[in-house]
Amino acid sequence: MIAELAAFNAAFSVVKEFVANGKDLSDCFGFIGQMTTAKEDLKLKTDKSNFTSDAEEFAALEQIKQAEQELRELMQYYGRAGLWEDFVKFQAEARKARLLERNERIKKINQRWQYASIIVAGVIGFIGMYALFVVASAILGG
């Protein structure tokens, strides 16, 4: 959790520095992307309860919320009209795409496990039938 929050804060600091130095917001969209990725990673970790306390989780999410509000203001003041709204829409679409990709990956992994289980069951069945044949021929033939 600390690493994701640190990555988010570092990227946000760079964005603020770019704007303070008079550079265009488009020059720092890579860092804004890093913020988004760090936020998503942090959300995944909060879903798994990796915080030592609820207060720690709340503080981290509140810090991100404040930084995003500041980013919104930067985009509204220094970006083109509608930039923030387009950014939010893009984030939502990208989040959905990542979720679909993740679900497809999980589906493929589960399918592979299912195939592996069928193969193992077949091998065990074959070994069992062979053992039964060996025992039966020893009893009957021997």
Side-chain angles (χ1 to χ4, degrees), residues 71-122:
L71 177 63
R72 178 182 184 177
E73 291 170 4
L74 288 173
M75 284 187 172
Q76 288 174 335
Y77 296 141
Y78 299 106
R80 65 170 172 74
L83 181 62
W84 174 256
E85 290 77 14
D86 290 346
F87 178 67
V88 170
K89 183 179 175 183
F90 175 79
Q91 278 185 311
E93 290 170 358
R95 190 176 308 116
K96 287 178 190 176
R98 280 192 303 274
L99 183 61
L100 283 173
E101 180 182 320
R102 182 174 160 247
N103 289 342
E104 284 296 317
R105 213 171 35 247
I106 290 171
K107 189 176 178 181
K108 285 181 181 179
I109 290 170
N110 288 340
Q111 192 174 37
R112 287 179 186 147
W113 276 108
Q114 185 178 11
Y115 292 150
S117 299
I118 291 169
I119 291 170
V120 168

Side-chain angles (χ1 to χ4, degrees), residues 8-117:
F8 180 90
N9 288 330
F12 185 61
S13 295
V14 172
V15 171
K16 287 189 339 185
E17 189 175 320
F18 265 66
V19 173
N21 290 333
K23 294 189 178 182
D24 192 38
L25 273 174
S26 62
D27 295 336
C28 60
F29 266 103
F31 293 102
I32 293 172
Q34 289 176 12
M35 289 171 57
T36 302
T37 302
K39 177 185 170 186
E40 291 298 320
D41 291 346
L42 186 64
K43 279 186 174 182
L44 285 174
K45 290 205 174 191
T46 60
D47 292 343
K48 297 178 183 174
S49 301
N50 284 342
F51 289 94
T52 55
S53 70
D54 290 339
E56 185 182 48
E57 178 182 353
F58 175 79
L61 294 174
E62 188 63 25
Q63 187 175 1
I64 286 176
K65 185 178 174 182
Q66 289 173 357
E68 283 185 325
Q69 178 61 34
E70 213 172 317
L71 177 63
R72 178 182 184 177
E73 291 170 4
L74 288 173
M75 284 187 172
Q76 288 174 335
Y77 296 141
Y78 299 106
R80 65 170 172 74
L83 181 62
W84 174 256
E85 290 77 14
D86 290 346
F87 178 67
V88 170
K89 183 179 175 183
F90 175 79
Q91 278 185 311
E93 290 170 358
R95 190 176 308 116
K96 287 178 190 176
R98 280 192 303 274
L99 183 61
L100 283 173
E101 180 182 320
R102 182 174 160 247
N103 289 342
E104 284 296 317
R105 213 171 35 247
I106 290 171
K107 189 176 178 181
K108 285 181 181 179
I109 290 170
N110 288 340
Q111 192 174 37
R112 287 179 186 147
W113 276 108
Q114 185 178 11
Y115 292 150
S117 299

